[in-house]
Amino acid sequence: MSYILNIETATKNCSVALAKEGKTILCKEIAEEGYSHAERLHVFIEEIINEAGIGMKELNAIAVSQGPGSYTGLRIGVSAAKGLCYALNIPLIAVDTLQALASKVKIDKGLIVPMIDARRMEVYSAVFFASLEKKREVLAEVITESSFEDIEETVYFIGDCNEKCKSVLTKDNFVFLDDIKYPSANEMSALSFDKYKKSDTVDVAYFEPYYLKDFLMTTPKK
């Protein structure tokens, strides 16, 4: 029997979920403009463990959202995850933030494009098949009228960038699911358990979040 604590702090949503055999038992989260992750995260962890009626030593692994996303948010989540792994001597699992976000969409065919807001018309995005396998890797890109124009299948856009992208992404096969804004630890449960079964873990000492720093240091495209 495996318990995995999932931590998601890459966006405005501060989210923690406890999973048993890949299924979420409890999830606590809040999305606030002020990024209250530092105040909320450890409270959520303590509450979930207490409500589940298990001890911290019963955890088999910690999973953390690896990014891309907010620099500060990712640092807070990864620092907490590493601290727990060191204290409990258990493995750390890194979960792709955009894949976790894409997991919120349940479709049989078509493509899913999760997007996380960067700045201006810039976003972090990837393209997934309905099976959640990647069609295109993560990019930090400026959204223009020509973005995704080569895709003929139905494309489902999700994330906190929909409002600003609707005015330029206007092809008939583009669908915006406005009710899906932020990734959640709830969807991390299945992804982290799959990695746990494969022993797909990261080095606690050397793991760093996926910031896409190089992109942030360049001049935005016109």
Side-chain angles (χ1 to χ4, degrees):
M1 197 65 67
S2 62
Y3 288 103
I4 299 177
L5 188 72
N6 298 276
I7 297 172
E8 164 55 62
T9 57
T11 65
K12 293 176 182 177
N13 193 32
C14 179
S15 179
V16 179
L18 177 65
K20 181 179 180 181
E21 297 294 298
K23 295 184 178 180
T24 300
I25 300 173
L26 288 168
C27 181
K28 289 181 181 286
E29 58 189 358
I30 186 169
E32 294 181 321
E33 291 295 324
Y35 280 92
S36 59
H37 301 27
E39 295 81 17
R40 301 277 189 173
L41 181 57
H42 289 282
V43 174
F44 284 170
I45 293 172
E46 184 176 351
E47 288 178 348
I48 279 181
I49 294 299
N50 289 338
E51 289 178 25
I54 67 170
M56 293 294 290
K57 291 185 178 180
E58 292 182 64
L59 294 175
N60 298 93
I62 305 295
V64 68
S65 181
Q66 69 179 21
S70 157
Y71 180 91
T72 301
L74 288 169
R75 292 302 300 176
I76 291 171
V78 170
S79 295
K82 283 187 172 187
L84 289 170
C85 287
Y86 274 123
L88 300 170
N89 193 29
I90 55 178
L92 177 63
I93 299 168
V95 175
D96 185 326
T97 302
L98 290 172
Q99 187 178 28
L101 180 53
S103 298
K104 290 192 167 192
V105 181
K106 308 301 179 185
I107 56 173
D108 295 320
K109 58 182 179 179
L111 298 173
I112 306 167
V113 177
M115 297 189 294
I116 293 176
D117 197 14
R119 54 181 180 176
R120 304 184 188 92
M121 289 304 291
E122 299 164 351
V123 305
Y124 304 128
S125 70
V127 181
F128 291 87
F129 293 105
S131 63
L132 296 182
E133 292 181 9
K134 271 184 184 166
K135 176 180 172 67
R136 196 211 71 193
E137 290 296 325
V138 177
L139 290 179
E141 59 186 325
V142 176
I143 297 298
T144 68
E145 292 179 357
S146 61
S147 298
F148 311 104
E149 66 177 358
D150 58 327
I151 300 178
E152 298 301 326
E153 305 105 300
T154 301
V155 184
Y156 297 90
F157 291 97
I158 57 174
D160 58 357
C161 310
N162 276 7
E163 205 55 46
K164 74 178 185 181
C165 292
K166 283 180 181 178
S167 60
V168 292
L169 299 177
T170 57
K171 282 186 66 180
D172 291 340
N173 60 316
F174 291 170
V175 178
F176 289 87
L177 303 179
D178 294 335
D179 58 330
I180 303 177
K181 283 192 173 183
Y182 305 115
S184 168
N186 182 52
E187 280 72 35
M188 288 176 62
S189 295
L191 298 173
S192 60
F193 183 57
D194 184 56
K195 289 195 166 199
Y196 176 75
K197 289 186 292 184
K198 298 174 183 175
S199 297
D200 184 359
T201 60
V202 295
D203 190 307
V204 177
Y206 296 103
F207 173 72
E208 289 292 331
Y210 187 31
Y211 294 124
L212 293 183
K213 276 185 177 181
D214 290 342
F215 171 76
L216 294 176
M217 294 173 65
T218 60
T219 302
K221 297 176 185 178
K222 299 294 183 182

